[in-house]
């Protein structure tokens, strides 16, 4: 006697089931196209309006001279400051969460706070940094809006992403590597620094790049911290231009030259974010 379960596996589907299957496939494709339509529309709008206005002079002149070189420099400075602050702290936090007493109460508390911090609106982070950094520096050191304050606000946004990504990545490293290192007499620090981190490095880089990708396009925190500048910033402690704030400030400008500058800056910013995400995908594929 044949097994009934085996018969079910070899029995062809009924015409009704085939029709239902094809209908659901068509529905999934249609809904995917509908879901992607707004994204494709936004991308097409930015590329079609921004790319034609791209000229080499825009990369050498400040905003006051119809370029955005100072905004590129300002964005780069603030992302660099944010990275220098958030990457070491975030990676160290992730290592602690994954490798040191992962089930302890303090560990769970730190992870909970990082999870909450990832959902905090960026404008709230901007207000907090304005109160904690901008106003304090104005009272104590006689400077207020600055690239330094902007970098700190972006670091707060990037920190929980890096910390939680690092934790999850380190948990994926096989435990056999830890046991082998311990069996050879390696200390906890040696195991982490020489075995675990090098193994997880491509995935760590992916997490860092995703955090940078989020920070580089943020606008709200910079409105309260770095403010804006039409010309080159004199130093790290002065108001500094950035690409997101340029787009925000000049979008409704009636001057057609400034309006074109907005679209071109949008295209350039989109290209940077796309490049960072493609780089993250490259490192992610290496991990796989």
């Amino acid at each position: 006697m044949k097994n009934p379960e085996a018969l079910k596996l070899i029995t062809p589907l009924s015409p009704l089931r085939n029709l239902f299957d094809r209908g659901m496939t068509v529905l999934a494709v249609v809904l995917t196209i509908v879901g992607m339509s707004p994204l494709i529309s936004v991308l097409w709008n930015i590329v079609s309006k921004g790319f034609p206005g791209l000229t080499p002079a825009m990369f050498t002149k400040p905003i006051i001279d119809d370029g955005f070189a100072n905004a590129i420099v300002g964005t780069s400075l603030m992302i660099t400051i944010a990275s220098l602050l958030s990457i070491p702290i975030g990676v160290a936090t992730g290592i602690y969460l994954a490798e040191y007493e992962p089930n302890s109460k303090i560990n769970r508390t730190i992870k909970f706070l990082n999870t909450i911090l990832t959902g905090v609106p960026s404008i709230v982070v901007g207000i907090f940094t304005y109160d904690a950094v901008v106003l304090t520096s104005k009272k104590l050191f006689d400077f207020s809006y600055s690239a330094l304050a902007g970098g700190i606000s972006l670091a707060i946004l990037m920190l929980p992403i890096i910390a939680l990504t690092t934790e999850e990545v380190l948990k994926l490293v096989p435990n056999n590597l830890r046991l082998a290192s311990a069996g050879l007499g390696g200390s906890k620090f040696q195991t982490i620094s020489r075995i675990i981190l090098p193994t997880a490095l491509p995935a760590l880089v992916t997490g860092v790049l995703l955090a940078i990708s989020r920070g580089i396009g943020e606008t709200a925190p910079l409105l309260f911290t770095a403010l804006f500048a039409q010309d080159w910033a004199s130093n790290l402690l002065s108001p500094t231009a950035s690409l997101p704030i340029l787009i925000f400030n000049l979008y409704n400008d009636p001057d057609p030259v400034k309006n074109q500058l907005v679209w071109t800056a949008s295209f350039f910013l989109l290209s940077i974010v796309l490049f960072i995400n493609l780089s993250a995908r490259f490192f992610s594929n290496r991990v796989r």
Side-chain angles (χ1 to χ4, degrees), residues 59-108:
F59 296 96
T60 59
K61 296 180 180 180
I63 298 169
I64 196 171
D65 295 325
D66 298 328
F68 50 75
N70 62 324
I72 295 174
V73 172
T75 298
S76 302
L77 283 174
M78 287 184 276
I79 283 295
T80 301
I81 293 170
S83 299
L84 291 175
L85 292 174
S86 63
I87 292 175
I89 299 174
V91 171
T93 303
I95 292 173
Y96 177 79
L97 292 174
E99 302 295 330
Y100 292 92
E101 301 180 6
N103 295 319
S104 65
K105 186 175 181 180
I106 187 172
N107 194 303
R108 293 196 299 269

Side-chain angles (χ1 to χ4, degrees), residues 259-279:
N259 189 262
Q260 179 61 54
L261 186 65
V262 167
W263 286 107
T264 305
S266 301
F267 170 75
F268 182 74
L269 182 60
L270 179 67
S271 301
I272 295 175
V273 173
L274 179 61
F275 173 77
I276 293 174
N277 279 277
L278 289 176
S279 301

Side-chain angles (χ1 to χ4, degrees), residues 83 85-100 158-167 170 192 197 201 204-205 207-208:
S83 299
L85 292 174
S86 63
I87 292 175
I89 299 174
V91 171
T93 303
I95 292 173
Y96 177 79
L97 292 174
E99 302 295 330
Y100 292 92
M158 293 167 56
L159 177 60
I161 300 174
I162 297 173
L164 295 177
T165 303
T166 300
E167 180 199 7
L170 296 185
I192 293 172
L197 286 179
L201 185 60
L204 286 176
V205 172
V208 170

Side-chain angles (χ1 to χ4, degrees), residues 10-194:
I10 63 175
T11 302
L13 294 176
S14 65
L16 184 60
R17 284 288 303 276
N18 278 323
L19 180 62
F20 178 79
D21 179 65
R22 292 178 182 178
M24 293 305 296
T25 301
V26 172
L27 180 62
V29 171
V30 170
L31 292 179
T32 301
I33 294 173
V34 171
M36 291 182 62
S37 296
L39 175 61
I40 295 173
S41 176
V42 170
L43 292 175
W44 174 253
N45 205 28
I46 292 175
V47 172
S48 62
K49 293 184 178 180
F51 181 74
L54 195 64
T55 61
M58 289 185 171
F59 296 96
T60 59
K61 296 180 180 180
I63 298 169
I64 196 171
D65 295 325
D66 298 328
F68 50 75
N70 62 324
I72 295 174
V73 172
T75 298
S76 302
L77 283 174
M78 287 184 276
I79 283 295
T80 301
I81 293 170
S83 299
L84 291 175
L85 292 174
S86 63
I87 292 175
I89 299 174
V91 171
T93 303
I95 292 173
Y96 177 79
L97 292 174
E99 302 295 330
Y100 292 92
E101 301 180 6
N103 295 319
S104 65
K105 186 175 181 180
I106 187 172
N107 194 303
R108 293 196 299 269
T109 302
I110 293 173
K111 185 174 181 179
F112 174 75
L113 292 175
N114 274 285
T115 304
I116 293 297
L117 195 56
T118 57
V120 173
S122 58
I123 193 168
V124 175
V125 174
I127 294 173
F128 166 78
T129 313
Y130 173 79
D131 185 63
V133 178
V134 175
L135 294 182
T136 302
S137 59
K138 187 175 182 179
K139 293 177 182 177
L140 299 179
F141 307 108
D142 198 29
F143 71 88
S144 54
Y145 300 101
S146 63
L148 179 61
I152 293 173
S153 67
L154 296 180
I156 295 173
L157 291 171
M158 293 167 56
L159 177 60
I161 300 174
I162 297 173
L164 295 177
T165 303
T166 300
E167 180 199 7
E168 294 302 321
V169 165
L170 296 185
K171 285 181 177 179
L172 295 176
V173 176
N175 201 42
N176 291 338
L177 296 179
R178 297 176 177 85
L179 297 176
S181 177
L184 293 172
S187 64
K188 188 80 169 178
F189 176 78
Q190 289 173 326
T191 300
I192 293 172
S193 61
R194 298 185 181 182

